[in-house]
Amino acid sequence: MNESIERRIERLQAGGIIDMHFDLPMDLYEKRGRRDVLETEFLPEFQAGNISVLGAAIYIEDRYLPQNGLRVALDQIARLYAETAASRRFAICKNYREIQDSGEAGKIALVITMEGVEPLGTDLNQLRVFYELGVRAIGLTHARTNSAGHGGIFAPSGSPAEGLTPFGREVAHECEALGVIIDLAHINPAGFEEILSITTKPPIVSHTNVRRYYNIERNISDEQIRMVGERGGVIGVNSILVSPREEESTLDHYIDHIEHIAELIGIDSVGIGFDFFEFIFRQWPESRQKELAAKFTKPHFIPDLTNHSHARNLTRRLIERGFSDADVEKILRRNWLRIFKELL
Ligand SMILES: [Zn+2]
């Protein structure tokens, strides 16, 4: 049996790749004057990378807050539905069955997620509305403070010491009651712990990196990794915060993050949350790029892992580094599928 590496990549990717964090709705919203953006600008890369499921994250930029958070979130969802309706290649999926059907029909499943509950304001009823619209995973905060809690900052320490607000606790309870997956990406350490103490279902961390290699609150400590593992959750590895140093921001170091999580809590708890952002970053004027670097950190994009067509590079490198077929398939899709099956 001398299967070539190309054949092996082909075979492992054939069942699809799941990326649980992509800022797609925000880009569709900014391009709302155009049509068929999903088909013309995104589909070729998704197909080249065998992408089968995407977490499409509603995120509201500071410039729309506080007045227009709800409106922009609804418009982002409207663009997702309109663009999906105009294409035969995508389906918005709200449960495991729909995700499976989508795959069997050769479509890419979009699972709508929310990064920061700013669109809800302080109104729990809005959570029900977004659930009905298809939102199936929610991270309570981005890096900032909102009505639910505080985000972890882009420094080793310094975010507020307190956890969730009373509203944040209500959101966490209501997510579990409705069947919305709770996403622990971005929340500050106190909020992270509090969410786990008041919920019972497996949590996810849709897109993060390990603090061992990039020590900022926004990333996840060994202790936090163990907490997710104990609850049977899954952690998606982010491609843009693998190292504070540009020269260390490589595909191999991305895999080091996967390995570190697998060593701590097992291969069943690690997946992908690429957070590809370069395509948005390069649309910005230099002044805005600098603003982002000042507010958070300068993102170091991995040259051969910058968009979804590069997923093949990851599969190849996992094989070269000795991951078994079964382990590669768990990282690429099976672990996220288990979560969907269990929670959606
Ligand atoms: Zn994020």
Side-chain angles (χ1 to χ4, degrees):
M1 281 291 283
N2 258 334
E3 187 183 26
S4 74
I5 189 158
E6 300 303 328
R7 285 285 302 273
R8 198 170 158 201
I9 295 168
E10 213 63 60
R11 179 168 53 76
L12 292 172
Q13 297 209 169
I17 290 181
I18 301 179
D19 171 11
M20 266 313 278
H21 189 84
F22 191 45
D23 285 309
L24 177 65
M26 170 174 152
D27 195 57
L28 295 181
Y29 174 70
E30 295 306 327
K31 294 171 181 166
R32 58 196 177 279
R34 294 189 224 162
R35 291 295 170 265
D36 299 323
V37 177
L38 201 45
E39 282 234 344
T40 56
E41 293 191 18
F42 292 99
L43 184 60
E45 288 177 356
F46 295 160
Q47 285 179 319
N50 296 92
I51 302 303
S52 57
V53 183
L54 278 170
I58 307 298
Y59 171 71
I60 310 299
E61 292 175 273
D62 287 348
R63 60 193 164 125
Y64 298 121
L65 294 172
Q67 292 90 347
N68 291 315
L70 176 59
R71 174 174 296 274
V72 173
L74 292 174
D75 282 356
Q76 288 184 4
I77 292 178
R79 291 317 308 155
L80 264 186
Y81 274 92
E83 288 277 332
T84 301
S87 167
R88 291 204 192 113
R89 307 308 313 273
F90 295 90
I92 292 171
C93 294
K94 299 176 180 176
N95 57 51
Y96 179 65
R97 180 77 257 161
E98 288 178 5
I99 292 168
Q100 278 195 314
D101 291 348
S102 157
E104 279 161 23
K107 295 183 179 187
I108 296 166
L110 302 176
V111 175
I112 306 177
T113 68
M114 187 181 274
E115 184 173 35
V117 297
E118 281 80 358
L120 309 182
T122 54
D123 182 359
L124 201 61
N125 283 310
Q126 302 293 344
L127 179 55
R128 162 69 74 169
V129 174
F130 280 102
Y131 173 79
E132 297 296 343
L133 290 175
V135 171
R136 286 297 180 273
I138 289 183
L140 269 56
T141 70
H142 189 251
R144 59 201 169 204
T145 287
N146 64 19
S147 59
H150 309 280
I153 63 171
F154 285 73
S157 63
S159 72
E162 67 261 28
L164 306 183
T165 64
F167 179 68
R169 286 191 283 276
E170 282 184 339
V171 169
H173 288 306
E174 187 71 358
C175 280
E176 281 212 315
L178 287 170
V180 175
I181 299 167
I182 296 183
D183 182 354
L184 297 171
H186 284 290
I187 191 88
N188 69 336
F192 187 104
E193 233 179 27
E194 187 169 3
I195 291 172
L196 286 178
S197 75
I198 62 170
T199 58
T200 58
K201 293 179 180 174
I204 69 167
V205 191
S206 63
H207 61 301
T208 194
N209 291 97
V210 304
R211 289 186 71 159
R212 180 193 161 103
Y213 296 131
Y214 194 164
N215 186 22
I216 50 177
E217 279 188 355
R218 186 260 169 271
N219 287 337
I220 187 170
S221 70
D222 288 3
E223 196 192 342
Q224 289 175 318
I225 293 169
R226 287 194 191 94
M227 289 192 246
V228 174
E230 277 163 22
R231 288 275 286 271
V234 173
I235 298 169
V237 178
N238 190 325
S239 70
I240 61 177
L241 294 169
V242 301
S243 171
R245 281 173 289 281
E246 187 164 13
E247 65 275 15
E248 282 177 12
S249 300
T250 63
L251 180 55
D252 261 313
H253 205 35
Y254 180 88
I255 295 174
D256 293 338
H257 286 252
I258 292 177
E259 265 182 351
H260 184 66
I261 295 167
E263 273 165 21
L264 286 176
I265 58 174
I267 196 76
D268 292 338
S269 285
V270 60
I272 289 168
F274 286 129
D275 197 11
F276 289 136
F277 190 68
E278 192 264 351
F279 79 104
I280 288 176
F281 193 73
R282 81 172 115 85
Q283 296 174 42
W284 288 357
E286 206 185 311
S287 59
R288 215 165 145 208
Q289 295 182 357
K290 281 190 176 147
E291 201 183 300
L292 177 99
K295 198 166 19 162
F296 303 129
T297 185
K298 188 178 187 305
H300 297 305
F301 304 113
I302 298 172
D304 42 0
L305 195 64
T306 307
N307 65 63
H308 289 99
S309 75
H310 291 158
R312 206 182 166 82
N313 297 334
L314 171 61
T315 305
R316 175 190 305 273
R317 200 68 196 125
L318 287 169
I319 293 168
E320 287 169 351
R321 288 197 27 180
F323 285 78
S324 70
D325 284 359
D327 287 355
V328 173
E329 289 192 287
K330 283 178 179 180
I331 296 163
L332 297 185
R333 64 180 168 277
R334 287 199 194 282
N335 292 336
W336 285 132
L337 286 174
R338 170 177 64 77
I339 289 289
F340 299 150
K341 190 174 183 183
E342 237 176 288
L343 299 179
L344 297 184

